[in-house]
């Protein structure tokens, strides 16, 4: 049955389903957004102008007007280049708190569908992966700035060398210094991206891009110095020199070596070959930042200190959250080689169907963390969260072995001893991270394209939509097409983990759902004459109510998060003030590297002391709230945890309405045909296309979306590309 056979329905998100915002709230949000953009644009314009003579004059005037204050030159530079980043963070916090008043932030689609810069793929192949038009413009501007800055600095340095005959001890070779600082500011300021409504997976991509650019510039910076020292014959002396006043060369070498180790092990081939090597060497960022501060001193380091400070805030909060041990309420090994884990969580932990978590299993390793998409909707249950893990590498294979062994122990228990303790698997969880706004709910027409275990977040999306439809919550989707490519048919029962009829009885009358499954490595169906894959599995289920996840990170409480950031920042300023008055100025401290160390110590101390107090109060509030919810709601223990035994012996096709499910064997999705068919049936509408799969699948879908949008006619739909990271 195709979607065009359904009657046209009104959007599920009607004016009756959405609470109208007061005019004052909408006005405040609008003002905050304008302020953030004005500050950001002014900051970017100054960075572009800084290499010029005019920019230098502006900089010198500002420093001259402010350097006489308590904090001196470092404070002036910090205020000018790092202050805007922190101010945007404060405004973003206020914006998130106001936005949090609404259950669902609906951005009304235009009456006339049109192409959007953020969702129109321009580049679909190459080192950047799939790049939208907005991202492409950003990349071009960044490249233009780098080339422009290098050109200006090169001309200036050549002029100085020819006029003054500078030696290597001068800054004749420091062409890339300011560019490196700006790249580091963006690189470590990725925590800010989530505050300003950039999805977590996009922030991860930008972090990777900027990491490559930063290390390229840093390597060239160091290489030019080494060549210059070698030409002058004093390479050995210069490379180990550690000056008290001026640039410390040895510190720069150590920082560069740490960065090179991180860079090499983060390359896709190495990361895929040995994820543990990538993860462990990436912790060298501590050495990289610390010795970078030693290398340049406090006043140069202060140029990038704002972004580094936000990064440290994020890391400390994640560290605090990950100290809690979370009980795995249920663990199952499905026959298709997939593991399902269900975690206990507090009722006030908020997330959406496109969220991620970072997971550590104590029984496997105390050091390894791995990212996974959430496979459950926040409406599936108030006190649990689920993820699906495909067994592919050593860590996941060990996880499956632990679950199967625990299951055997559970099975072997004597029925005469029913009160024996249950086997436990303990974990630490960071997150959930994700977009504050569930953009899968903002299109009336959705196409979900998955490859293999990439179906996991779409199970959460499907469950979320069905719950909202059944409960009358705000929800736009009315046409949903799932395109799923799998290697073998034993993966198909994963779809039945979402019991559609149980969630929303007679959902086919309210939601047009169509599923197309492509089994690529089997030419003939194995399910014949009613024989189906049974979801026989090894599983364990604990009897305890479980220790839930912490709400300190991710889409948690924005008020507490804002207090944490603001208090840490204020504390940092107070500590800098006290340090300058009672130590640096009083004792005449002049050593650059030592002042850089003191600068970092103030950053860490402010987070630990001032931010730590807020985190402690936050933790106590969380425990009190959880205890109150547990007391008020006796239904917590009775809440049903997803159990795959429910789908044993059930025919997949009967459960999921085979009339709307098409399975093709021995073929891959033909996206030209799929999108062409959708164009004919859905007409002139906005179509959201969300892809979760390997890079080749994302490129294929993006290429076809670009083609469809470029040659579309007036009555054809506009396709909007959204990628959900398959491998963080």
């Amino acid at each position: 049955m195709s979607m065009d056979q359904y009657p046209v329905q009104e959007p599920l998100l009607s004016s009756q389903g959405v609470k109208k915002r007061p005019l004052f709230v909408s006005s405040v949000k609008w003002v905050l957004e304008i302020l953030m953009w004005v500050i950001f644009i002014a900051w970017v314009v100054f960075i572009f102008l800084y290499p010029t003579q005019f920019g230098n004059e502006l900089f010198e005037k500002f420093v001259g007007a402010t350097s006489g204050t308590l904090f001196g030159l470092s404070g002036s530079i910090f205020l000018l280049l790092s202050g805007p980043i922190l101010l945007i963070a404060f405004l973003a916090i206020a914006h998130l708190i106001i936005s949090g008043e609404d259950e669902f932030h609906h951005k009304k689609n235009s009456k006339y569908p049109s192409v959007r810069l953020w969702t129109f793929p321009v580049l679909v192949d190459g080192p950047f992966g799939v790049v939208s038009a907005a991202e492409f413009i950003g990349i071009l501007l960044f490249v233009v700035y780098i080339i422009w800055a290098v050109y200006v600095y090169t001309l200036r340095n050549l002029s100085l060398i020819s006029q003054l005959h500078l030696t290597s001890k001068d800054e004749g070779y420091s062409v890339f210094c300011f560019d490196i600082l700006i790249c580091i500011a963006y690189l470590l300021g990725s925590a800010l991206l989530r505050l300003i409504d950039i999805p977590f997976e996009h922030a991860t991509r930008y972090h990777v891009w900027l990491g490559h650019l930063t290390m390229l510039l840093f390597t060239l910076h160091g290489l030019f110095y080494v060549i210059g020292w070698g030409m002058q014959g004093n390479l050995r002396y210069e490379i180990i020199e550690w000056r008290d006043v001026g640039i410390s060369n040895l510190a720069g070498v150590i920082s560069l070596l740490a960065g090179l180790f991180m860079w090499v092990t983060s390359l896709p081939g190495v990361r895929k070959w040995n994820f543990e090597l990538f993860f462990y060497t990436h912790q060298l960022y501590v050495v990289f930042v610390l010795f970078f501060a030693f290398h340049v001193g406090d006043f140069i380091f202060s140029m990038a200190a704002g972004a580094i400070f936000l990064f440290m805030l994020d890391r400390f909060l994640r560290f605090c959250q990950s100290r809690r041990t979370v009980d795995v309420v249920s663990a199952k090994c499905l026959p298709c080689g997939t593991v399902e884990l269900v975690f206990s969580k507090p009722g006030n932990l908020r997330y959406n169907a496109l969220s991620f978590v970072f997971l550590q299993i104590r029984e496997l390793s105390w050091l390894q963390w791995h990212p996974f998409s959430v496979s459950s909707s926040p409406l599936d249950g108030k006190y649990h969260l689920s993820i699906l893990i495909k067994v592919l590498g050593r860590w996941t294979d060990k996880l499956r072995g632990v679950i199967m062994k625990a299951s055997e122990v559970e099975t072997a228990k004597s029925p005469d001893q029913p009160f024996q303790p249950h086997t436990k698997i303990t974990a630490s969880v960071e997150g959930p991270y994700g977009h504050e706004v569930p953009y899968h709910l903002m299109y009336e027409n959705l196409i979900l394209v998955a490859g293999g275990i990439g179906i996991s977040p779409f199970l959460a999306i499907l469950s979320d939509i069905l719950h909202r439809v059944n409960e009358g919550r705000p929800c736009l989707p009315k046409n949903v097409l799932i395109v799923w490519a799998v290697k073998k048919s034993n993966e198909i029962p994963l779809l039945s983990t979402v019991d559609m009829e149980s969630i929303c009885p007679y959902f086919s009358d309210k939601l047009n759902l169509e599923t197309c499954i492509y089994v690529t490595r089997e030419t003939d169906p194995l399910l014949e004459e009613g024989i189906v894959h049974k979801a026989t599995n090894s599983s364990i289920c604990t009897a305890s109510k479980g220790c839930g996840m912490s709400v300190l990170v991710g889409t948690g409480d924005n008020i507490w998060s804002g207090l944490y950031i603001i208090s840490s920042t204020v504390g940092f300023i107070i500590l800098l003030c006290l340090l300058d008055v009672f130590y640096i100025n009083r004792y005449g401290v002049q050593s650059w590297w030592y002042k850089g160390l003191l600068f970092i110590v103030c950053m860490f101390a402010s987070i630990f002391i001032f931010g730590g107090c807020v985190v402690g109060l936050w933790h106590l509030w969380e425990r009190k709230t959880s205890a109150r919810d547990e007391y008020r709601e006796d239904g917590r223990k009775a809440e049903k945890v997803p159990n795959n035994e429910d789908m044993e012996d059930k025919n997949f096709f009967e459960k999921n309405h085979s009339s709307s499910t098409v399975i093709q064997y021995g073929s891959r999705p033909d996206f030209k045909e799929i999108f062409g068919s959708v164009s004919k049936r859905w007409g002139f509408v906005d179509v959201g296309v969300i892809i979760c799969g390997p890079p080749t699948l994302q490129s294929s879908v993006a290429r076809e979306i670009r083609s469809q949008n470029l040659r579309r006619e007036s009555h054809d739909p506009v396709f909007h590309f959204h990628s959900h990271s398959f491998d963080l």
Side-chain angles (χ1 to χ4, degrees), residues 480-585:
V480 179
L481 170 62
I482 300 175
V483 180
W484 187 24
V486 296
K487 293 180 180 179
K488 296 184 179 181
S489 57
N490 65 347
E491 297 183 51
I492 296 177
L494 281 178
L495 272 179
S496 60
T497 58
V498 179
D499 192 344
M500 303 182 194
E501 284 292 346
S502 174
I503 295 173
C504 182
Y506 308 106
F507 71 90
S508 57
D509 296 333
K510 306 172 185 177
L511 180 71
N512 303 337
L513 176 64
E514 184 178 355
T515 305
C516 297
I517 303 175
Y518 296 83
V519 184
T520 60
R521 295 190 180 179
E522 293 177 4
T523 56
D524 299 305
L526 300 180
L527 311 180
E528 295 178 349
E529 298 179 358
I531 301 175
V532 300
H533 288 290
K534 292 184 179 181
T536 55
N537 52 65
S538 301
S539 63
I540 61 171
C541 186
T542 65
S544 67
K545 59 187 178 182
C547 179
M549 297 165 54
S550 172
V551 299
L552 296 181
V553 181
T555 53
D557 192 288
N558 292 322
I559 295 178
W560 279 109
S561 178
L563 288 174
Y564 166 69
I565 294 175
I566 293 172
S567 63
S568 298
T569 305
V570 173
F572 174 53
I573 296 173
I574 292 174
L575 290 180
L576 271 183
C577 177
L578 296 176
L579 184 70
D580 277 354
V581 171
F582 294 103
Y583 185 68
I584 294 179
N585 295 332

Side-chain angles (χ1 to χ4, degrees), residues 50-309:
Y50 180 78
T52 66
Q53 183 177 356
F54 176 71
N56 268 260
E57 291 175 356
L58 286 178
F59 177 77
E60 290 174 0
K61 288 180 180 179
F62 181 84
V63 169
T66 58
S67 60
T69 60
L70 181 64
F71 302 105
L73 179 60
S74 298
S76 298
I77 297 175
F78 181 81
L79 180 63
L80 180 62
L81 292 174
S82 294
I85 295 178
L86 295 176
L87 183 56
I88 291 174
F90 294 165
L91 295 175
I93 290 167
H95 189 274
L96 288 176
I97 291 173
I98 295 174
S99 299
E101 298 296 325
D102 298 325
E103 179 192 14
F104 173 61
H105 319 299
H106 171 54
K107 297 179 181 179
K108 186 177 180 181
N109 290 322
S110 173
K111 183 178 180 181
Y112 302 101
S114 60
V115 174
R116 302 168 193 162
L117 293 179
W118 277 108
T119 59
F120 178 71
V122 175
L123 303 179
V124 296
D125 293 304
F128 294 104
V130 179
V131 178
S132 69
E135 291 171 335
F136 183 69
I137 293 172
I139 291 172
L140 285 180
L141 291 175
F142 211 93
V143 170
V144 167
Y145 165 71
I146 296 295
I147 295 174
W148 158 250
V150 169
Y151 170 74
V152 173
Y153 286 132
T154 302
L155 290 182
R156 181 188 303 173
N157 289 332
L158 289 176
S159 175
L160 289 173
I161 291 173
S162 62
Q163 293 176 16
L164 304 176
H165 305 288
L166 295 179
T167 64
S168 64
K169 291 186 178 180
D170 300 297
E171 299 305 315
Y173 302 109
S174 185
V175 176
F176 300 104
C177 184
F178 188 71
D179 292 346
I180 292 170
L181 289 166
I182 297 305
C183 287
I184 291 176
Y186 279 109
L187 175 67
L188 298 180
S190 56
L192 177 64
L193 295 177
R194 296 202 302 277
L195 291 174
I196 57 176
D197 205 26
I198 299 295
F200 178 77
E201 59 269 26
H202 288 196
T204 304
R205 291 179 67 204
Y206 304 155
H207 176 84
V208 172
W209 295 353
L210 288 167
H212 290 310
L213 179 59
T214 301
M215 286 314 305
L216 176 62
L217 294 176
F218 204 175
T219 303
L220 291 175
H221 171 79
L223 184 61
F224 286 169
Y225 268 99
V226 169
I227 293 174
W229 293 333
M231 292 172 63
Q232 295 173 0
N234 57 351
L235 175 61
R236 180 179 299 180
Y237 169 77
E238 289 287 354
I239 207 168
I240 62 172
E241 186 175 19
W242 190 298
R243 300 186 183 97
D244 281 334
V245 178
I247 301 297
S248 299
N249 297 335
L250 181 58
V253 171
I254 296 173
S255 179
L256 176 58
L257 289 176
L260 288 174
F261 274 114
M262 288 191 292
W263 192 18
V264 171
T265 55
S266 66
L267 296 175
V270 179
R271 189 177 187 273
K272 187 176 182 180
W273 168 67
N274 195 322
F275 181 86
E276 289 77 14
L277 178 64
F278 154 76
F279 181 81
Y280 296 145
T281 55
H282 229 61
Q283 309 313 307
L284 290 173
Y285 71 85
V286 177
V287 178
F288 176 82
V289 173
L290 182 62
F291 280 87
F292 180 76
F294 293 166
H295 175 57
V296 297
D298 63 323
F299 76 91
I300 297 179
F301 181 77
S302 62
M303 293 181 179
I308 294 174
F309 185 65

Side-chain angles (χ1 to χ4, degrees), residues 334-617:
L334 306 181
C336 60
T338 300
V339 172
E340 182 188 46
L341 300 179
V342 180
F343 300 99
S344 175
K345 77 173 187 69
N348 61 330
L349 176 69
R350 297 187 292 108
Y351 71 99
N352 62 54
L354 289 169
S355 296
F356 297 88
V357 295
F358 283 83
L359 178 65
Q360 175 208 65
I361 301 294
R362 300 291 177 89
E363 283 74 13
L364 303 182
S365 171
W366 284 75
L367 297 176
Q368 294 183 37
W369 291 84
H370 295 265
F372 299 101
S373 296
V374 172
S375 62
S376 61
S377 162
L379 301 178
D380 281 332
K382 189 175 181 180
Y383 298 104
H384 71 262
L385 177 149
S386 305
I387 62 173
L388 291 173
I389 303 173
K390 182 72 173 179
V391 178
L392 295 173
R394 287 178 293 179
W395 188 87
T396 51
D397 187 59
K398 287 170 63 178
L399 173 61
R400 185 181 183 185
V402 168
I403 296 173
M404 294 183 70
K405 184 177 179 180
S407 177
E408 292 173 0
V409 172
E410 289 286 328
T411 305
K413 286 181 179 179
S414 171
D416 299 330
Q417 296 177 319
F419 300 106
Q420 287 181 339
H422 287 259
T423 304
K424 278 190 178 184
I425 295 179
T426 55
S428 293
V429 181
E430 285 185 7
Y433 299 102
H435 203 237
E436 287 290 331
V437 179
Y439 54 83
H440 63 281
L441 299 176
M442 296 182 180
Y443 295 97
E444 294 181 19
N445 309 278
L446 269 180
I447 300 178
L448 308 177
V449 183
I453 195 59
I455 195 66
S456 177
F458 296 157
L459 297 177
I461 287 177
L462 186 58
S463 176
D464 198 47
I465 292 173
L466 290 172
H467 275 294
R468 288 177 175 274
V469 170
N470 186 55
E471 298 172 16
R473 293 171 178 256
C475 178
L476 267 180
K478 63 177 182 179
N479 294 320
V480 179
L481 170 62
I482 300 175
V483 180
W484 187 24
V486 296
K487 293 180 180 179
K488 296 184 179 181
S489 57
N490 65 347
E491 297 183 51
I492 296 177
L494 281 178
L495 272 179
S496 60
T497 58
V498 179
D499 192 344
M500 303 182 194
E501 284 292 346
S502 174
I503 295 173
C504 182
Y506 308 106
F507 71 90
S508 57
D509 296 333
K510 306 172 185 177
L511 180 71
N512 303 337
L513 176 64
E514 184 178 355
T515 305
C516 297
I517 303 175
Y518 296 83
V519 184
T520 60
R521 295 190 180 179
E522 293 177 4
T523 56
D524 299 305
L526 300 180
L527 311 180
E528 295 178 349
E529 298 179 358
I531 301 175
V532 300
H533 288 290
K534 292 184 179 181
T536 55
N537 52 65
S538 301
S539 63
I540 61 171
C541 186
T542 65
S544 67
K545 59 187 178 182
C547 179
M549 297 165 54
S550 172
V551 299
L552 296 181
V553 181
T555 53
D557 192 288
N558 292 322
I559 295 178
W560 279 109
S561 178
L563 288 174
Y564 166 69
I565 294 175
I566 293 172
S567 63
S568 298
T569 305
V570 173
F572 174 53
I573 296 173
I574 292 174
L575 290 180
L576 271 183
C577 177
L578 296 176
L579 184 70
D580 277 354
V581 171
F582 294 103
Y583 185 68
I584 294 179
N585 295 332
R586 185 173 183 178
Y587 294 99
V589 177
Q590 297 296 328
S591 178
W592 283 25
W593 72 268
Y594 184 56
K595 290 172 72 175
L597 173 62
L598 293 176
F599 201 89
I600 288 185
V601 168
C602 282
M603 294 170 72
F604 178 78
S606 66
I607 296 172
F608 185 78
I609 297 172
F610 294 88
C613 291
V614 175
V615 170
L617 293 173

Side-chain angles (χ1 to χ4, degrees), residues 17-81:
V18 182
K19 296 179 181 179
K20 292 184 178 180
R21 293 194 190 103
L23 179 60
F24 174 75
V25 173
S26 300
S27 301
V28 171
K29 289 187 65 175
W30 180 77
V31 170
L32 289 174
E33 290 173 0
I34 294 236
L35 281 175
M36 283 190 287
W37 275 110
V38 168
I39 295 170
F40 178 73
I41 292 173
W43 184 69
V44 170
V45 168
F46 174 77
I47 288 174
F48 266 85
L49 292 176
Y50 180 78
T52 66
Q53 183 177 356
F54 176 71
N56 268 260
E57 291 175 356
L58 286 178
F59 177 77
E60 290 174 0
K61 288 180 180 179
F62 181 84
V63 169
T66 58
S67 60
T69 60
L70 181 64
F71 302 105
L73 179 60
S74 298
S76 298
I77 297 175
F78 181 81
L79 180 63
L80 180 62
L81 292 174

